[in-house]
């Protein structure tokens, strides 16, 4: 069983931040444009850069289980607020970078979350555990 580790420095926006951004709009021409989409695209770009640097050209064809370890600078955010959007952004980025073929039921068997405090080095450590065929 292979394991691959990805470390994202800092924190990602929380679910509350994302929902607030989804509800706000900026004007682009005559249509309103969701700020939530901008947030997602920006975060996915940062995550994709980390994937390309740390996982190189990894392509996983077997189902995976993903373990998330969130190291927060303080206890201000609720645990579900921390993890809610992170799962979506990270897993979509893994697909976009070609590490995973898809992020559906056949590709991701589940995930787990752990939460820690690290005031000086907030980060998200992600372990992708490839399961047998």
């Amino acid at each position: 069983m292979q394991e691959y580790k990805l470390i994202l420095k800092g924190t990602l926006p929380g679910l509350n931040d994302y929902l607030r951004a989804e509800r706000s709009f900026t004007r682009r021409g005559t249509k309103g444009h969701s700020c939530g989409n901008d947030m997602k695209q920006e975060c996915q770009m940062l995550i994709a850069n980390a994937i390309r640097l740390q996982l190189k050209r990894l392509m996983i064809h077997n189902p995976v289980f993903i373990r998330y370890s969130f190291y927060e600078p303080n206890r201000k955010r609720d645990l579900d607020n921390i993890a809610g959007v992170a799962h979506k952004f990270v897993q979509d980025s893994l697909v976009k970078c070609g590490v995973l073929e898809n992020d559906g039921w056949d590709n991701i068997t589940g995930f787990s979350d752990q939460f820690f405090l690290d005031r000086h080095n907030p980060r998200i450590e992600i372990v992708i555990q490839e399961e047998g065929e």
Side-chain angles (χ1 to χ4, degrees), residues 5-95:
K5 190 170 190 177
L6 174 66
I7 299 174
L8 305 176
K9 295 182 180 193
T11 61
L12 290 173
L15 181 57
N16 292 340
D17 301 319
Y18 181 69
L19 292 174
R20 226 179 344 268
E22 271 296 307
R23 291 180 185 122
S24 63
F25 291 89
T26 58
R27 286 272 164 216
R28 286 194 178 176
T30 58
K31 289 187 175 181
H33 176 77
S34 166
C35 294
N37 184 57
D38 291 344
M39 176 187 285
K40 182 180 180 196
Q41 296 303 319
E42 183 180 324
C43 289
Q44 282 187 308
M45 182 185 66
L46 295 171
I47 296 165
N49 288 340
I51 289 169
R52 289 184 190 104
L53 286 172
Q54 296 174 44
L55 300 179
K56 309 295 183 202
R57 297 181 184 267
L58 176 66
M59 293 173 54
I60 300 173
H61 300 287
N62 292 322
V64 299
F65 185 88
I66 304 175
R67 293 190 324 257
Y68 292 89
S69 296
F70 296 92
Y71 293 82
E72 287 284 303
N74 53 50
R75 293 178 185 249
K76 289 183 180 178
R77 302 194 298 172
D78 293 338
L79 303 183
D80 58 340
N81 189 23
I82 295 167
V85 172
H87 292 164
K88 178 72 176 155
F89 289 178
V90 169
Q91 291 163 198
D92 285 354
S93 296
L94 288 168
V95 171

